Amino acid sequence: MAVTMKDIARNCGLSSGSVSQVIRNPDNPRFSPATRKLILETAARLDYHQNSLSCALRTSKTRLIGLMLPWNEPEVMDNIERIVSENGYKLLIQFTAHPRPGMEQAALQSFLSWNVEGIIWEPSSLENASCLPLLERIHKEKRPLILLERGVNGMDFPLVRTDYTPALNVAVSHLKDQHYRKVVFAVSKSSAPIMKTQCEVVRGACRRMGLAFHTCQLDVASPDLSGQIRHLLSGEKKGDTAYICFSWLALNFIEEMEALGLSAPDDLGLVLYSDLLLGGRYRFSEIVRPKLTVVRSVCSILAESAIRFLLSEIRHDDPRGLPESTHYAELFINQSTKRN
Amino acid sequence: MAVTMKDIARNCGLSSGSVSQVIRNPDNPRFSPATRKLILETAARLDYHQNSLSCALRTSKTRLIGLMLPWNEPEVMDNIERIVSENGYKLLIQFTAHPRPGMEQAALQSFLSWNVEGIIWEPSSLENASCLPLLERIHKEKRPLILLERGVNGMDFPLVRTDYTPALNVAVSHLKDQHYRKVVFAVSKSSAPIMKTQCEVVRGACRRMGLAFHTCQLDVASPDLSGQIRHLLSGEKKGDTAYICFSWLALNFIEEMEALGLSAPDDLGLVLYSDLLLGGRYRFSEIVRPKLTVVRSVCSILAESAIRFLLSEIRHDDPRGLPESTHYAELFINQSTKRN
DNA sequence: CTGTTAGCGCATTCAA
DNA sequence: TTGAATGCGCTAACAG
């Protein structure tokens, strides 16, 4: 097996306790320079390396951070990993894209069993009743936990989220300026629950501005997604309607529009909700044609502020600091709704 | 602090050793049903959960797997995470997209210090001299390690890789059929070293087919990337040249083509090398316009075979099994090179 | 200046 | 059928 401190101690004719001291603090004035040199040299010679397990068990410092996301969002994931890594921590990962019941609870439990020093969690949905007792415990033990995007019931953990409200309001007003008369908010069935608030924001904005409003939940998993969309698109009066599509759904709309010979912005408008940064440089809304008007949040900043706050919580037990930090999404107007 | 076995033992008036036995094996016939029930019930009542650290320290079984990738490739990452998670393992993550010297070595060392049961590593470049001693040790200790895409010098770890050769040959032949007379292979400077082999494959194919050939390394980080590409594109005779672009670079070509009023496939051809699956459903080559002819490998299968092999290596110490597994990339012809 | 000791929480062996 | 003792590798307090 691997070289341990005991091995070094034996080689030097010292005790493992002394070895520990010197290795943890090579400039320790408690030991004579000769001893220190001897210990460090034999450590190097034997190719000694710390055993993180025992070290963590002993000190309760694991330098581990648990990250649970509903899917692999590169913009969030990459940033968090980079910063975590720069600070000497390692990431324990769990995605919840394919949720089994109790999965998030189990993952939290597993994080705790590894004694992670902090957790960043973007809950995959709004209801997490099964996680409540666990969260209660996390709260009581003061283990730092940052929630992303969605809070959990009554629990008051720091929440780092994006507020889409202002941008959505501006978007609707923009659509009215462009003489659209009706707005359809399209989401996938699975993401519908977490889009409810935003949906209401748009509904409200439409009412105030005198636009008609509809929601539309599509079954993304169905083989007949095309059919659903085609049906939707072909039933409209030309030029009247603007669609707000959540995430990738916009792509399906574009494809069906091509098939039906419809084009944005004239025959209909298309607004992307939640852009994605791809390959670290390119935005989804910019690489498709037509380029999409988009309500976009900068996830990288969100991620960065979450992880930095987590790290500061870990370092000093500062009870102060942000209880909730909100980033605002912005509207970027592009070809898909810009009528001359 | 958290509830330990000792707490349960005290509550039951038993010893922690007995508690351990029963919890590890609830049907243990060595203990009376009454005792077993008592222990399990108080465990539940006190909300006991294993401490992974001490358990791992004791048994040398961490159920941890180290994953090191040169960047967050969702198609690889997601698949590995899912399978790992389904098998009760957790993933320790390290990306090496922003390499500091010694970073990969440090990450490997860190994996070892956590006693991970296996490692999947896609080396970020071809030279890893600094990692050799470590790899030697990993090899000696028989700790399962699977390499992705690139081997490391003389070390013979199992290697799961994509072979682009046949597809590249077919691609060149296709380009000749379409009456292109020259092929330019464009990569970013940073990825150039690992593209060397493929570059030679294309060079060879061009020679055999009587096509001219050039390579071209672009500085992706430079603010004047547009300028570099524009210069490249404007210097060519119309209709003669097909560009093979590595990964996202294709997008920069598309943008410059739009700016210059050039269009594929007529004014020039465009072949994408290494497609990306986005959002789990959509291919980069299919969402841009023109749709791109692409040399594509199915990373998800690659990832899956790597992780499954790793898991099987972990479970039984089977020395047999694939020493090297090769997947073949395929050519998909699309609008960007298809002339009439 | 350096050594000893007592755990961290758990699993395992041996003894009762 | 159960308890006690030992040690995984390391740290920290204390003793010399």
Side-chain angles (χ1 to χ4, degrees), chain B residues 150-166:
Chain B
R150 279 168 283 289
V152 174
N153 290 24
M155 310 266 24
D156 64 332
F157 289 102
L159 171 61
V160 178
R161 61 182 281 273
T162 309
D163 186 353
Y164 288 92
T165 309

mmCIF file of all heavy atoms in Angstrom, chain B residues 150-166:
data_model
loop_
_atom_site.group_PDB
_atom_site.id
_atom_site.type_symbol
_atom_site.label_atom_id
_atom_site.label_comp_id
_atom_site.label_asym_id
_atom_site.label_seq_id
_atom_site.Cartn_x
_atom_site.Cartn_y
_atom_site.Cartn_z
ATOM 1 N N ARG B 150 -6.527 9.789 -25.824
ATOM 2 C CA ARG B 150 -5.089 9.856 -26.010
ATOM 3 C C ARG B 150 -4.380 8.954 -25.026
ATOM 4 O O ARG B 150 -4.675 8.965 -23.840
ATOM 5 C CB ARG B 150 -4.594 11.278 -25.787
ATOM 6 C CG ARG B 150 -4.782 12.194 -26.959
ATOM 7 C CD ARG B 150 -4.537 13.628 -26.591
ATOM 8 N NE ARG B 150 -5.654 14.213 -25.866
ATOM 9 C CZ ARG B 150 -6.827 14.500 -26.415
ATOM 10 N NH1 ARG B 150 -7.040 14.237 -27.683
ATOM 11 N NH2 ARG B 150 -7.793 15.025 -25.690
ATOM 12 N N GLY B 151 -3.442 8.198 -25.507
ATOM 13 C CA GLY B 151 -2.623 7.415 -24.611
ATOM 14 C C GLY B 151 -1.540 8.286 -24.012
ATOM 15 O O GLY B 151 -1.401 9.450 -24.354
ATOM 16 N N VAL B 152 -0.773 7.727 -23.096
ATOM 17 C CA VAL B 152 0.339 8.460 -22.513
ATOM 18 C C VAL B 152 1.594 7.654 -22.755
ATOM 19 O O VAL B 152 1.747 6.549 -22.227
ATOM 20 C CB VAL B 152 0.132 8.663 -21.005
ATOM 21 C CG1 VAL B 152 1.367 9.294 -20.400
ATOM 22 C CG2 VAL B 152 -1.087 9.525 -20.745
ATOM 23 N N ASN B 153 2.441 8.203 -23.577
ATOM 24 C CA ASN B 153 3.734 7.584 -23.871
ATOM 25 C C ASN B 153 3.724 6.055 -23.858
ATOM 26 O O ASN B 153 2.897 5.433 -24.496
ATOM 27 C CB ASN B 153 4.783 8.101 -22.882
ATOM 28 C CG ASN B 153 5.099 9.547 -23.158
ATOM 29 O OD1 ASN B 153 4.267 10.238 -23.739
ATOM 30 N ND2 ASN B 153 6.272 10.000 -22.792
ATOM 31 N N GLY B 154 4.619 5.493 -23.067
ATOM 32 C CA GLY B 154 4.741 4.045 -23.122
ATOM 33 C C GLY B 154 3.777 3.307 -22.217
ATOM 34 O O GLY B 154 3.703 2.095 -22.230
ATOM 35 N N MET B 155 3.032 4.020 -21.413
ATOM 36 C CA MET B 155 2.156 3.370 -20.444
ATOM 37 C C MET B 155 1.018 2.644 -21.153
ATOM 38 O O MET B 155 0.373 3.213 -22.014
ATOM 39 C CB MET B 155 1.559 4.428 -19.505
ATOM 40 C CG MET B 155 2.571 5.365 -18.899
ATOM 41 S SD MET B 155 3.131 4.822 -17.275
ATOM 42 C CE MET B 155 2.847 3.094 -17.253
ATOM 43 N N ASP B 156 0.782 1.419 -20.732
ATOM 44 C CA ASP B 156 -0.327 0.737 -21.384
ATOM 45 C C ASP B 156 -1.541 0.600 -20.479
ATOM 46 O O ASP B 156 -1.808 -0.442 -19.906
ATOM 47 C CB ASP B 156 0.108 -0.620 -21.934
ATOM 48 C CG ASP B 156 0.536 -1.557 -20.834
ATOM 49 O OD1 ASP B 156 0.998 -1.037 -19.802
ATOM 50 O OD2 ASP B 156 0.391 -2.777 -21.000
ATOM 51 N N PHE B 157 -2.236 1.699 -20.348
ATOM 52 C CA PHE B 157 -3.535 1.667 -19.694
ATOM 53 C C PHE B 157 -4.591 1.424 -20.767
ATOM 54 O O PHE B 157 -4.364 1.739 -21.935
ATOM 55 C CB PHE B 157 -3.811 2.997 -18.994
ATOM 56 C CG PHE B 157 -2.979 3.205 -17.783
ATOM 57 C CD1 PHE B 157 -1.868 4.040 -17.826
ATOM 58 C CD2 PHE B 157 -3.284 2.557 -16.600
ATOM 59 C CE1 PHE B 157 -1.089 4.232 -16.699
ATOM 60 C CE2 PHE B 157 -2.508 2.750 -15.474
ATOM 61 C CZ PHE B 157 -1.403 3.586 -15.524
ATOM 62 N N PRO B 158 -5.725 0.896 -20.363
ATOM 63 C CA PRO B 158 -6.798 0.744 -21.345
ATOM 64 C C PRO B 158 -7.120 2.111 -21.945
ATOM 65 O O PRO B 158 -7.165 3.111 -21.227
ATOM 66 C CB PRO B 158 -7.978 0.246 -20.509
ATOM 67 C CG PRO B 158 -7.390 -0.334 -19.290
ATOM 68 C CD PRO B 158 -6.110 0.394 -19.047
ATOM 69 N N LEU B 159 -7.303 2.112 -23.255
ATOM 70 C CA LEU B 159 -7.525 3.373 -23.952
ATOM 71 C C LEU B 159 -8.818 3.269 -24.751
ATOM 72 O O LEU B 159 -8.987 2.344 -25.541
ATOM 73 C CB LEU B 159 -6.342 3.642 -24.883
ATOM 74 C CG LEU B 159 -6.464 4.798 -25.869
ATOM 75 C CD1 LEU B 159 -6.649 6.112 -25.128
ATOM 76 C CD2 LEU B 159 -5.227 4.865 -26.762
ATOM 77 N N VAL B 160 -9.722 4.178 -24.503
ATOM 78 C CA VAL B 160 -10.968 4.218 -25.270
ATOM 79 C C VAL B 160 -10.908 5.451 -26.148
ATOM 80 O O VAL B 160 -10.835 6.562 -25.654
ATOM 81 C CB VAL B 160 -12.189 4.286 -24.336
ATOM 82 C CG1 VAL B 160 -13.464 4.382 -25.140
ATOM 83 C CG2 VAL B 160 -12.231 3.068 -23.435
ATOM 84 N N ARG B 161 -10.902 5.231 -27.438
ATOM 85 C CA ARG B 161 -10.659 6.381 -28.301
ATOM 86 C C ARG B 161 -11.501 6.333 -29.569
ATOM 87 O O ARG B 161 -12.130 5.336 -29.903
ATOM 88 C CB ARG B 161 -9.196 6.441 -28.683
ATOM 89 C CG ARG B 161 -8.734 5.212 -29.452
ATOM 90 C CD ARG B 161 -7.259 5.326 -29.748
ATOM 91 N NE ARG B 161 -7.032 6.199 -30.882
ATOM 92 C CZ ARG B 161 -7.035 5.792 -32.152
ATOM 93 N NH1 ARG B 161 -7.234 4.516 -32.444
ATOM 94 N NH2 ARG B 161 -6.842 6.643 -33.128
ATOM 95 N N THR B 162 -11.486 7.453 -30.232
ATOM 96 C CA THR B 162 -12.167 7.565 -31.502
ATOM 97 C C THR B 162 -11.140 7.557 -32.615
ATOM 98 O O THR B 162 -10.145 8.281 -32.537
ATOM 99 C CB THR B 162 -12.942 8.885 -31.571
ATOM 100 O OG1 THR B 162 -13.752 9.001 -30.412
ATOM 101 C CG2 THR B 162 -13.806 8.925 -32.812
ATOM 102 N N ASP B 163 -11.386 6.772 -33.631
ATOM 103 C CA ASP B 163 -10.504 6.781 -34.785
ATOM 104 C C ASP B 163 -11.180 7.575 -35.901
ATOM 105 O O ASP B 163 -12.237 7.191 -36.400
ATOM 106 C CB ASP B 163 -10.215 5.357 -35.251
ATOM 107 C CG ASP B 163 -9.179 5.362 -36.362
ATOM 108 O OD1 ASP B 163 -8.811 6.457 -36.830
ATOM 109 O OD2 ASP B 163 -8.744 4.265 -36.760
ATOM 110 N N TYR B 164 -10.553 8.691 -36.234
ATOM 111 C CA TYR B 164 -11.137 9.557 -37.253
ATOM 112 C C TYR B 164 -10.618 9.236 -38.650
ATOM 113 O O TYR B 164 -11.080 9.810 -39.629
ATOM 114 C CB TYR B 164 -10.838 11.024 -36.920
ATOM 115 C CG TYR B 164 -11.611 11.548 -35.737
ATOM 116 C CD1 TYR B 164 -11.087 11.484 -34.460
ATOM 117 C CD2 TYR B 164 -12.887 12.095 -35.903
ATOM 118 C CE1 TYR B 164 -11.796 11.964 -33.368
ATOM 119 C CE2 TYR B 164 -13.604 12.579 -34.815
ATOM 120 C CZ TYR B 164 -13.057 12.507 -33.562
ATOM 121 O OH TYR B 164 -13.771 12.977 -32.486
ATOM 122 N N THR B 165 -9.647 8.349 -38.730
ATOM 123 C CA THR B 165 -8.978 8.122 -40.015
ATOM 124 C C THR B 165 -9.920 7.757 -41.153
ATOM 125 O O THR B 165 -9.934 8.437 -42.193
ATOM 126 C CB THR B 165 -7.884 7.054 -39.854
ATOM 127 O OG1 THR B 165 -7.066 7.402 -38.752
ATOM 128 C CG2 THR B 165 -7.041 6.963 -41.114
ATOM 129 N N PRO B 166 -10.709 6.692 -41.002
ATOM 130 C CA PRO B 166 -11.549 6.315 -42.151
ATOM 131 C C PRO B 166 -12.487 7.444 -42.558
ATOM 132 O O PRO B 166 -12.604 7.762 -43.748
ATOM 133 C CB PRO B 166 -12.345 5.123 -41.611
ATOM 134 C CG PRO B 166 -11.608 4.635 -40.428
ATOM 135 C CD PRO B 166 -10.904 5.797 -39.848
#
